[in-house]
Amino acid sequence: MTDDTKSSNAMWGGRFAAGPDAIMEAINASISFDKRLYAQDIRGSRAHAAMLAATGILTNSDAEAIGEGLLTVLSEIEAGDFPFSTALEDIHMNVEARLKALIGEPAGRLHTARSRNDQVATDFRLWVRDQADAAITSLTALMQVLVAQAEKGADWVMPGFTHLQTAQPVTWGHHMMAYVEMFARDRSRFEDARKRMNECPLGSAALAGTGFPIDRHMTATALGFDRPMANSLDGVSDRDFALEFLSSAAICAVHLSRLAEELVIWSSAQFRFVAMSDKWSTGSSIMPQKRNPDAAELIRAKIGRVLGAAVALFTVMKGLPLAYSKDMQEDKEQVFDAADTLMLALAAMTGMMSDLTVNTAKLEAAASSGFSTATDLADWLVREAGLPFRDAHHVTGSLVALAEKKGCDLPDLSLEELKSAHPALTEAVYSVLGVHNSVASRQSYGGTAPDQVRAQVARWKGLLV
Ligand code: ARG
């Protein structure tokens, strides 16, 4: 900390005689977390300096000194020996102060035609854009693992549930592909948000634009943006990109949590549909038999952080007048934590799903119990005997009651017993009471039949290359 930063801030302290109260410094400073934006801050400043030179606002030699000096700052930060200072508030002023120490007077020209308001909006947008890309990549990897699971088990029969009660037999592949569809929507939400956020706020200056003849198209292009933002007030006050990222992350986290919940249920001693590998299980310090699905439980729990971050930032933003308010400094920690949490959860789920062991015998036995083919019986009566579905439902219900009373399953009932419920029932009905026939018959588009599942697997394998 230099003396002039102690007494009053070197960056804006011209009209200040005294430095801030210690508590003021504590509430105001963001360097403890926004140092994470150092690479984006330096990238943005280099683009700005190059543009100031190209437009004749700065001399080439000043701009070169700034550009070089910023690279030195970058390598110092990356080497871990940068003297971050709380008195300098945030990453922007830390970088600029260090630049001044390195190159002297030209450093003071970098902030021409710029404000920290458009600077932070640009840095943060660049950071969030990278995270959207990372989410897209991670989701693709997860989808690939799920498609591979679906391909392996396109015809493994398992119980399909509604209300967590056995409903109808489905295939493992069909169940896996349901999640592929969900994660595909998540991925498209990130892609969509990325497109919309890819406009550059730099050059909005404090709020009103600038009188200097800057070239906003040049900086936008240099930073990989499609175009500059069209309104400078919007440029400094918009955090939609962060809200969209958090919203997309929250929905994705809900999907991860639902799959995690299924893994917790399926790996329990009562189900035993799946087993996590040693890499993805933990033991108990007291109960030697335990194999706990901790990673799945934590994924399920971490939705709270992601959703909490979204709610927090929505709450920060909802009452802010245009343009910049310091409230917006609260955007970063929420987004940082949500992004870290989401990436970790995606990686853990991908790892767990890639070496999950599926107990196909257990799946099939469970699929066959609980009168799971009752609908097939009712459908048979409609198809083969011309009964209205409601009547067929009633007849089948009476047979389920009979089987329940006898303690057996539907296929265990004798033909006489079936006929007692309805004379049109014949030997042929037994073929639809088997779970394999049941799933094979569900050939409607998007249905659970193995052929349908294989068609979806092939479609996604084509899309995911
Ligand atoms: N640290 C600030 C933030 O994150 C940077 C912008 C400060 N702007 C200002 N006018 N004080 O929002």
Side-chain angles (χ1 to χ4, degrees):
M1 203 192 318
T2 56
D3 278 338
D4 52 336
T5 62
K6 197 176 251 167
S7 55
S8 72
N9 192 291
M11 300 297 159
W12 44 254
R15 63 171 292 217
F16 287 75
D21 188 275
I23 305 281
M24 173 59 196
E25 192 172 281
I27 195 173
N28 199 36
S30 53
I31 187 62
S32 64
F33 50 87
D34 70 12
K35 61 167 82 144
R36 221 171 145 170
L37 299 175
Y38 73 90
Q40 289 76 14
D41 192 68
I42 289 170
R43 188 176 170 201
S45 287
R46 280 172 51 83
H48 183 66
M51 179 278 291
L52 291 178
T55 50
I57 300 167
L58 281 196
T59 63
N60 283 333
S61 70
D62 278 351
E64 263 162 39
I66 289 169
E68 286 301 306
L70 285 169
L71 287 183
T72 306
V73 176
L74 180 67
S75 54
E76 285 179 359
I77 296 176
E78 267 162 7
D81 55 7
F82 186 88
F84 286 111
S85 151
T86 309
L88 288 166
E89 251 184 76
D90 56 23
I91 186 63
H92 324 295
M93 299 210 287
N94 269 268
V95 168
E96 196 184 315
R98 181 69 189 138
L99 184 67
K100 185 161 182 222
L102 287 168
I103 69 166
E105 193 251 19
R109 301 182 188 277
L110 169 61
H111 215 51
T112 313
R114 182 179 81 168
S115 148
R116 275 189 293 157
N117 298 349
D118 58 337
Q119 191 177 353
V120 73
T122 306
D123 295 359
F124 197 34
R125 226 171 242 260
L126 289 170
W127 194 90
V128 174
R129 191 177 71 182
D130 283 350
Q131 293 301 309
D133 287 338
I136 291 164
T137 305
S138 298
L139 278 163
T140 305
L142 175 56
M143 288 161 73
Q144 278 163 339
V145 164
L146 293 170
V147 168
Q149 278 285 357
E151 188 170 32
K152 238 186 347 189
D155 52 13
W156 297 345
V157 182
M158 66 180 283
F161 299 94
T162 59
H163 314 266
L164 198 54
Q165 308 284 320
T166 301
Q168 293 173 349
V170 295
T171 50
W172 172 261
H174 196 218
H175 204 112
M176 291 297 106
M177 293 308 287
Y179 281 101
V180 170
E181 294 293 329
M182 291 149 80
F183 291 124
R185 286 195 296 274
D186 292 334
R187 195 176 65 158
S188 78
R189 265 183 282 274
F190 283 112
E191 286 165 348
D192 194 39
R194 190 199 193 283
K195 272 186 220 135
R196 221 174 348 267
M197 76 175 70
N198 206 29
E199 295 189 339
C200 187
L202 194 60
S204 298
L207 75 167
T210 173
F212 291 99
I214 59 171
D215 182 348
R216 291 194 58 206
H217 293 273
M218 182 180 166
T219 41
T221 304
L223 297 172
F225 289 109
D226 294 331
R227 62 192 79 83
M229 291 180 77
N231 182 302
S232 62
L233 288 168
D234 184 44
V236 293
S237 63
D238 171 47
R239 291 296 181 272
D240 289 2
F241 62 97
L243 293 173
E244 280 197 61
F245 176 82
L246 290 175
S247 307
S248 307
I251 299 174
C252 180
V254 168
H255 294 155
L256 285 167
S257 180
R258 293 183 73 174
L259 180 51
E261 164 71 357
E262 302 217 274
L263 291 174
V264 171
I265 294 173
W266 292 348
S267 61
S268 69
Q270 288 68 27
F271 274 74
R272 283 208 200 291
F273 286 1
V274 301
M276 265 74 114
S277 73
D278 286 359
K279 283 194 287 184
W280 296 101
S281 315
T282 53
S284 156
S285 54
I286 176 166
M287 296 165 284
Q289 86 283 11
K290 288 298 280 294
R291 244 184 120 71
N292 293 331
D294 289 29
E297 294 170 83
L298 286 164
I299 291 170
R300 187 175 60 182
K302 280 175 188 293
I303 166 68
R305 301 170 74 120
V306 180
L307 197 54
V311 172
L313 189 56
F314 274 106
T315 311
V316 166
M317 295 306 297
K318 74 173 183 59
L320 298 185
L322 302 187
Y324 177 85
S325 297
K326 194 65 174 254
D327 309 50
M328 286 153 75
Q329 180 164 287
E330 286 291 306
D331 55 3
K332 289 166 210 67
E333 283 169 293
Q334 302 299 340
V335 177
F336 290 162
D337 187 66
D340 292 345
T341 303
L342 184 71
M343 300 310 154
L344 185 60
L346 282 167
M349 185 57 87
T350 305
M352 246 187 323
M353 291 307 297
S354 68
D355 61 8
L356 193 72
T357 307
V358 183
N359 187 337
T360 54
K362 267 274 180 194
L363 282 187
E364 183 158 339
S368 309
S369 69
F371 314 109
S372 65
T373 52
T375 317
D376 299 85
L377 175 51
D379 286 349
W380 187 93
L381 283 165
V382 171
R383 224 172 30 241
E384 306 295 329
L387 264 67
F389 182 78
R390 287 290 166 222
D391 297 349
H393 184 285
H394 192 81
V395 170
T396 308
S398 70
L399 286 169
V400 167
L402 176 63
E404 208 164 28
K405 209 169 89 197
K406 291 187 64 186
C408 68
D409 266 312
L410 281 176
D412 304 325
L413 294 174
S414 69
L415 188 57
E416 291 71 57
E417 286 167 326
L418 295 181
K419 279 189 179 299
S420 72
H422 198 282
L425 284 162
T426 68
E427 191 72 39
V429 78
Y430 285 103
S431 73
V432 303
L433 297 182
V435 288
H436 285 282
N437 286 335
S438 168
V439 295
S441 74
R442 301 267 191 276
Q443 287 285 357
S444 52
Y445 179 81
T448 202
D451 290 349
Q452 287 296 324
V453 173
R454 288 195 186 96
Q456 292 300 327
V457 165
R459 179 172 77 90
W460 276 111
K461 278 174 91 173
L463 292 171
L464 289 172
V465 285

